[in-house]
Amino acid sequence: MAAPDFYLLAYDIASERRRAKIARLMESVGARVQGSVFEAYLTPADLAALLRRVHRVLKPQEDSLRVYYICEACLPKARTFGKGEVTSPPGLTII
């Protein structure tokens, strides 16, 4: 099985109903870090499955979803200000 990669997912959905559906999809795979922004560790298969499900809900003429791949070398450069931390990889607990 492929190791999961780190992604930043952000959406802007016009309809309240579609937004709720997309939010549930994102919550099923990642951690909400801001209102419509999620961090997730996904394998290529996980990402493909998520995007298939999103495309059944999203209306391209009204909505948008942005998926940013954050490479392993770039991840340590991610910084947060204020409350919150960058999401830890699955299976890793920071105390």
Side-chain angles (χ1 to χ4, degrees):
M1 180 196 277
D5 292 315
F6 188 74
Y7 290 91
L8 184 74
L9 307 137
Y11 60 78
D12 184 18
I13 308 296
S15 157
E16 185 73 34
R17 187 175 192 173
R18 288 194 312 272
R19 186 170 39 257
K21 287 180 182 181
I22 296 293
R24 282 192 301 274
L25 287 172
M26 296 298 139
E27 289 169 341
S28 74
V29 299
R32 185 187 297 258
V33 295
Q34 290 189 356
S36 60
V37 180
F38 291 78
E39 294 175 344
Y41 285 88
L42 303 169
T43 65
D46 293 337
L47 179 60
L50 174 65
L51 294 178
R52 280 192 302 275
R53 293 173 70 192
V54 165
H55 285 301
R56 289 194 288 254
V57 177
L58 187 128
K59 287 192 173 182
Q61 64 277 20
E62 299 177 24
D63 307 328
S64 70
L65 170 68
R66 293 176 180 258
V67 179
Y68 296 97
Y69 165 70
I70 310 294
C71 73
E72 193 172 325
C74 294
L75 189 53
K77 297 175 187 175
R79 298 173 16 185
T80 61
F81 301 93
K83 65 182 201 173
E85 299 287 329
V86 175
T87 303
S88 298
L92 178 65
T93 304
I94 299 175
I95 299 176

